[in-house]
């Protein structure tokens, strides 16, 4: 990551923490973390943008897709058939999942295993949509996500995933749909996955969006959700756009609740 997103954090983080502390001490705001909910399709940059925005704001970062991936990894590890919804549900009680929400200390764990890298493997990506389509699995994970959001020690949390603005945190004070044209999304993904051809990447991206969109509509902004279109923006500009939405929305909220 280069300069602008790197230079801003301290001042911005201090300002957000100070504003929250002041609002709380004056009884203007409840002592709850500010939830910033971000969703969008694959390749929109939501993970890296959300994490950088969290860092800039001094907030925690919650990657909900990592939970679906970790569960998929665990099922593969235990030899559970991910296409068998009943078997997936039966296995979930033993799913011992952990995730780091400090944007500077991101990790994903299952039991004793650090699966931060392993959950990105194609064999995991290949089954994750099967796992994500089971409604009871979604509810189970959503409860945990809400718990993480409510108890974060940070002044706020940027939570990212495909149904965050609509299902997991529909009441969040800041909700953003991060989009980009299909062409831009495919271009970015094929740069990340250097070993695969653009055509393969495009096909994989389209089929994952198609499978996932049967479960949640993440392509259209719900009421009250702000769209940030990153098609014409570079990484730092996208992070800055998200941070700008958060600061303007939260100061408006503070002003409104002030009277
Ligand atoms: O964002 P990602 O690629 O790491 O997400 C992995 C999978 O999990 C993807 O198929 C979408 C799904 N997912 C979901 O259904 N709901 C979420 N809140 C997050 C991810």
């Amino acid at each position: 990551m280069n300069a602008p997103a790197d230079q801003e954090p301290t001042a911005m983080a201090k300002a957000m923490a100070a504003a929250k502390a002041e609002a709380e001490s004056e009884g203007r705001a409840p002592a709850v973390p500010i939830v910033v909910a971000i969703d969008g399709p694959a390749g929109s940059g939501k993970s890296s943008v959300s994490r950088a925005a969290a860092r800039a704001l001094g907030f925690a970062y919650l990657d909900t897709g990592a939970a679906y991936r970790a569960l998929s990894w665990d099922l593969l590890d235990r030899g559970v058939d991910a296409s068998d919804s009943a078997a997936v549900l039966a296995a979930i009680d033993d799913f011992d999942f952990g995730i780091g929400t400090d944007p500077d200390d991101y990790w994903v764990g299952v039991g004793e295993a650090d699966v931060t890298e392993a959950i990105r493997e194609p064999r995991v990506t290949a089954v994750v949509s099967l796992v994500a389509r089971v409604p009871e699995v979604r509810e189970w994970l959503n409860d945990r996500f809400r718990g993480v959001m409510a108890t974060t020690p940070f002044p706020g949390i940027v939570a990212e995933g495909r149904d965050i603005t609509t299902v997991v945190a529909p009441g969040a004070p800041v909700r953003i749909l991060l989009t980009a044209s299909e062409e831009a999304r495919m271009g970015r993904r094929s740069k990340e996955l250097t070993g695969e051809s653009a055509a393969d990447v495009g096909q994989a991206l389209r089929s994952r969006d198609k499978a996932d969109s049967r479960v949640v509509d993440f392509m259209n902004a719900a009421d009250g959700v702000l769209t940030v279109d990153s098609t014409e923006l570079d990484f730092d500009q996208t992070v800055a756009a998200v941070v700008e939405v958060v600061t303007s929305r939260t100061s408006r909220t503070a002003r409104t609740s002030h009277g």
Side-chain angles (χ1 to χ4, degrees), residues 42 46-47 63-66 68-69 120 125 128-129 132 138 142 145 160-164 168 189 208 212 215-216:
K46 33 175 214 313
S47 302
D63 173 3
T64 62
Y68 286 92
R69 288 174 177 276
R120 308 286 156 195
T125 305
V128 70
S129 288
R138 305 193 68 81
N142 289 347
F145 299 151
E160 163 259 303
R162 295 185 171 210
D163 58 349
I164 295 296
V168 183
R189 266 291 145 102
R208 197 143 70 87
D212 291 336
V215 184
V216 278

Side-chain angles (χ1 to χ4, degrees), residues 150-163:
T151 57
T152 181
F154 288 76
I157 182 162
V158 180
E160 163 259 303
R162 295 185 171 210
D163 58 349

Side-chain angles (χ1 to χ4, degrees), residues 24-254:
E24 277 165 23
S25 72
E26 292 173 6
R28 279 191 286 121
V32 291
I34 297 167
V35 174
V36 178
I38 302 187
D39 59 23
S44 63
K46 33 175 214 313
S47 302
S48 43
V49 168
S50 298
R51 188 168 162 194
R55 187 180 285 128
L57 291 158
F59 284 9
Y61 160 62
L62 176 62
D63 173 3
T64 62
Y68 286 92
R69 288 174 177 276
L71 177 56
S72 305
W73 178 91
D74 193 29
L75 296 171
L76 290 169
D77 191 56
R78 289 196 262 160
V80 176
D81 177 1
S83 68
D84 179 346
S85 301
V88 172
L89 262 184
I92 205 167
D93 284 334
D94 295 323
F95 175 48
D96 180 13
F97 168 68
I99 190 161
T101 59
D102 181 335
D104 289 320
D105 184 20
Y106 174 80
W107 55 270
V108 184
V110 175
E112 296 293 299
D114 182 329
V115 298
T116 314
E117 307 292 329
I119 59 167
R120 308 286 156 195
E121 285 169 11
R123 69 189 184 101
V124 174
T125 305
V127 298
V128 70
S129 288
L130 293 173
V131 175
R133 72 178 184 180
V134 184
E136 294 88 344
V137 166
R138 305 193 68 81
E139 281 162 29
W140 193 94
L141 287 174
N142 289 347
D143 279 348
R144 268 134 201 95
F145 299 151
R146 293 185 190 112
V148 172
M149 289 191 253
T151 57
T152 181
F154 288 76
I157 182 162
V158 180
E160 163 259 303
R162 295 185 171 210
D163 58 349
I164 295 296
T165 65
T166 49
V167 179
V168 183
V174 188
R175 295 182 297 148
I176 297 171
L177 177 70
L178 192 61
T179 57
S181 69
E182 188 177 282
E183 201 186 354
R185 296 190 291 115
M186 285 194 325
R188 288 173 194 161
R189 266 291 145 102
S190 57
K191 263 190 214 154
E192 281 168 24
L193 309 167
T194 41
E196 296 176 40
S197 77
D200 287 350
V201 170
Q203 186 51 43
L205 196 106
R206 267 192 297 272
S207 70
R208 197 143 70 87
D209 277 350
K210 198 167 163 218
D212 291 336
S213 66
R214 284 188 209 112
V215 184
V216 278
D217 179 3
F218 51 84
M219 298 298 269
N220 299 298
D223 273 357
V225 176
L226 224 120
T227 300
V228 172
D229 185 340
S230 71
T231 308
E232 305 291 336
L233 304 179
D234 69 17
F235 180 74
D236 287 330
Q237 289 169 329
T238 311
V239 175
V242 167
V243 167
E244 165 63 25
V245 168
V246 176
T247 47
S248 65
R249 283 267 163 137
T250 47
S251 60
R252 195 177 314 143
T253 306

